[in-house]
Amino acid sequence: MDVGFILEMLPALLPAVKNTLLITFASAALGWAAGFAIALARAHRVRGLSQALSVYVSFLRSVPLVIIMFFIYYAIPTFIAFYRYEHGLDVAVAAGNRNVIYPIIAMSLSESAFASEVFRSSLSAVSHDQMEAARSVGMTAVQAYRRIVLPQAIVVAIPNLGGLFVGLVKSSTLAYYASVVEITGMAYTLASPSYQFLEAFFVIALLYEALSFGFSRLFLAIERNVGKYRRGIVLK
Amino acid sequence: MREVASKAVAGGARQAGGGPGKQAGGAKHARHGAGGSAREGAARAQRQGQSGGQGRRAGGMAAGSAMISGRTGERTDGSAMISGRAGERTDGSAMIKLENVRKSFGKSEILKGVSMEVGQGGVTVVIGPSGSGKTTLLRCINFLEKADEGALTIGDLSVDMKKCHKREILAIRRRSAFVFQNYSLFQNKTALENVTEGLTVVQRKPKGEAREIALEILEWVGLSNRADYYPVNLSGGQQQRVGIARAVALSPDVILFDEPTSALDPELVGETLELIKKVAQRGITMIVVTHEMSFAQDVASQVIFLDEGLVVEAGPPAEVFGRPKNERTKQFLARIVPQDYIYTI
């Protein structure tokens, strides 16, 4: 193994880490927000919407992410180009550096489906009594959700969200197919001239491990903090 | 089965703190009056009830008015309990009134037209076999279940239970509080926060004031040293006391107790019932669903026996327990009330 090459490529990888993190955080934020909305709509059995969303979720959960990624990468520019041509709308097609928008869209879509299931199960894990107690005190449905039900549901959801988040870090490698240079893409580029793929992939394997470990610990810390009522810590 | 409109009015038989011996002074007087005409009996009962009430008040124990209603006296002549007439109550207005409440789950009809009235400050105990609709009735009052039919009045607010607006439901809920069988404390809140939550969020009291009220009430239920504990760290009895504190803190028009002790072990049942008695002494109107018959005899101003979704018998505890008129009530009580207990009344 060429240690010199490893030391050389590490600093070159850093800008790519930025892209990986950008994709991961953006998809998590968008995907989880959408997933939460989906879970709420399905938990309340909003007529029509609920059924449509269940099809959406089942579809996005079964189609491989690469295919969604390709679809978004090719379909959106084509779509925009079509509209520009037909309607004279002046919308720029994202290209070059702004390509990150494609993996973010694709991963948010996929993530919303998975996250919605996490939220749905965590909402149903909170006993219905809690809602009833809140309503009996005189809270509105929104107050009851915000103050009583959601804080408890979140605690249930956090370990699974942590898993999803680490999954996102890894899925971000697929952004390579949308011409976004993130960690894997950069490693590939750096290794190509001298065919030192072994070293390159070894390094990024460790890098991914470090990222995942860090995020896991972060989620564990959050879980412990927001879930302290479950372990029965006495304040003061 | 006859449907009995229970119009007994609370107040009289409520007593302050003693055992069965001290119990139901007003009702006893009323029974002595049974020799005369119904009207005379009623009048006598009222006078005696009043003096009895004053005596208790002088003793510094009774809360709220302690008058016996004319109607209680009227019943003593042994006539049928059914009364369509609106009674002349000596006790002021009815706090809660339910009319013809019906509720079905799927094909099974749980409540088949229940009507009842609870006077200001009265303690109504609802008894009856499992599946008779006691809990459903209570949940309908708080709109945790939506009744299929019926009218509900709490204080000056009347609603049609079938088609009432969200705002009305909220208004009803804000006039009532619920104590659950399984406590249902907010798991993510400390004992103190469980009590303050309704005060700050619903009643919009400033945090400091809410905290003061809550601490005072926790002290009153004997849990001031557990204020910062989460529900998981409290025993069942302590949790239920917090549940009661949460309800009392809201100073509602009525507190609904849904089998508040049936999830507790025998030792804790006692302390919880003592606390509920204390709540009654504060003069808060209460409806209690329970299987604790001695508690019912001790604290109730009105006992309602519910069977198969109908009010079968209603009246002061001395009447319902001592001299049940309905065959079904007799059957039920024979099985669950020890015979000697009936004689101690």
Side-chain angles (χ1 to χ4, degrees), chain B:
Chain B
M1 194 174 295
R2 284 185 307 191
E3 180 182 332
V4 180
S6 108
K7 298 275 185 183
V9 171
R14 271 260 314 295
Q15 51 90 48
K22 272 201 248 166
Q23 212 265 318
K28 235 184 236 166
H29 293 308
R31 217 181 298 154
H32 293 318
S37 74
R39 185 173 289 270
E40 260 177 43
R44 207 177 308 153
Q46 189 175 329
R47 279 197 305 276
Q48 288 168 343
Q50 263 168 346
S51 62
Q54 278 155 5
R56 282 201 295 276
R57 223 172 298 154
M61 290 195 291
S65 84
M67 268 185 271
I68 194 78
S69 78
R71 189 153 296 283
T72 314
E74 237 171 35
R75 283 222 190 95
T76 57
D77 65 0
S79 69
M81 293 255 315
I82 303 169
S83 164
R85 282 191 302 144
E88 334 81 330
R89 287 187 302 270
T90 55
D91 189 24
S93 61
M95 180 54 95
I96 300 177
K97 205 165 142 192
L98 284 168
E99 280 163 281
N100 196 28
V101 179
R102 289 172 184 276
K103 173 73 186 173
S104 302
F105 291 107
K107 275 184 185 159
S108 62
E109 197 176 18
I110 303 297
L111 299 176
K112 298 171 181 165
V114 174
S115 303
M116 62 188 267
E117 216 171 276
V118 180
Q120 166 83 47
V123 178
T124 296
V125 171
V126 182
I127 59 171
S130 295
S132 58
K134 307 181 297 289
T135 295
T136 305
L137 179 67
L138 218 55
R139 290 170 61 84
C140 281
I141 297 176
N142 209 21
F143 286 91
L144 294 176
E145 304 289 353
K146 197 154 192 182
D148 301 330
E149 208 183 307
L152 167 66
T153 306
I154 296 185
D156 55 358
L157 181 68
S158 294
V159 295
D160 182 333
M161 291 171 90
K162 188 188 173 192
K163 41 189 174 196
C164 62
H165 196 266
K166 265 186 193 169
R167 252 176 292 139
E168 291 177 317
I169 295 180
L170 205 60
I172 288 283
R173 282 186 179 140
R174 287 178 179 178
R175 282 161 184 252
S176 57
F178 207 99
V179 175
F180 294 85
Q181 182 173 4
N182 54 1
Y183 335 126
S184 292
L185 297 186
F186 304 134
Q187 293 294 314
N188 57 332
K189 305 279 177 189
T190 62
L192 182 75
E193 288 167 341
N194 262 279
V195 183
T196 54
E197 199 66 10
L199 297 172
T200 53
V201 177
V202 178
Q203 300 184 354
R204 307 235 168 260
K205 289 202 163 79
K207 276 210 176 102
E209 188 190 336
R211 201 185 139 80
E212 260 171 49
I213 296 174
L215 282 174
E216 193 183 306
I217 290 188
L218 282 178
E219 168 93 57
W220 184 71
V221 302
L223 285 176
S224 46
N225 57 340
R226 294 283 185 276
D228 293 320
Y229 282 48
Y230 283 106
V232 283
N233 279 0
L234 299 173
S235 72
Q238 290 169 337
Q239 287 193 52
Q240 193 59 296
R241 273 144 70 193
V242 175
I244 293 169
R246 176 172 72 181
V248 173
L250 297 167
S251 45
D253 289 347
V254 57
I255 301 183
L256 310 165
F257 291 82
D258 181 18
E259 301 192 24
T261 58
S262 54
L264 298 170
D265 74 51
E267 224 171 352
L268 296 175
V269 168
E271 65 173 54
T272 310
L273 289 178
E274 279 308 313
L275 176 60
I276 298 175
K277 265 188 217 171
K278 266 170 75 180
V279 178
Q281 284 157 25
R282 279 174 88 122
I284 299 173
T285 311
M286 322 196 304
I287 301 179
V288 186
V289 166
T290 187
H291 291 298
E292 299 291 331
M293 293 304 147
S294 50
F295 170 79
Q297 287 171 334
D298 218 11
V299 180
S301 52
Q302 175 185 223
V303 174
I304 288 179
F305 177 61
L306 211 61
D307 188 40
E308 293 181 6
L310 285 170
V311 174
V312 173
E313 191 149 352
E319 299 258 330
V320 176
F321 289 115
R323 297 181 294 155
K325 296 184 184 68
N326 189 288
E327 204 46 48
R328 183 70 187 92
T329 320
K330 283 179 193 165
Q331 240 178 37
F332 178 74
L333 291 174
R335 228 169 294 155
I336 60 168
V337 180
Q339 284 303 314
D340 57 342
Y341 217 118
I342 294 178
Y343 290 111
T344 58
I345 296 173

Side-chain angles (χ1 to χ4, degrees), chain A residues 65-79:
Chain A
L65 181 55
V66 198
I67 293 178
I68 303 174
M69 190 87 80
F70 272 134
F71 184 78
I72 298 292
Y73 185 49
Y74 289 109
I76 289 185
T78 314
F79 194 68

Side-chain angles (χ1 to χ4, degrees), chain A residues 130-143:
Chain A
Q130 295 291 308
M131 189 59 165
E132 288 191 341
R135 300 309 302 271
S136 82
V137 164
M139 291 191 199
T140 63
V142 175
Q143 286 170 337

Side-chain angles (χ1 to χ4, degrees), chain A residues 19 23 69-70 73-74 94-103 172-182 184-186 189:
Chain A
N19 261 347
I23 294 168
M69 190 87 80
F70 272 134
Y73 185 49
Y74 289 109
N97 219 9
R98 289 193 290 173
N99 260 357
V100 283
I101 194 74
Y102 301 118
S172 68
T173 50
L174 297 176
Y176 173 67
Y177 292 102
S179 315
V180 175
V181 185
E182 39 65 68
T184 308
M186 182 59 89
T189 315

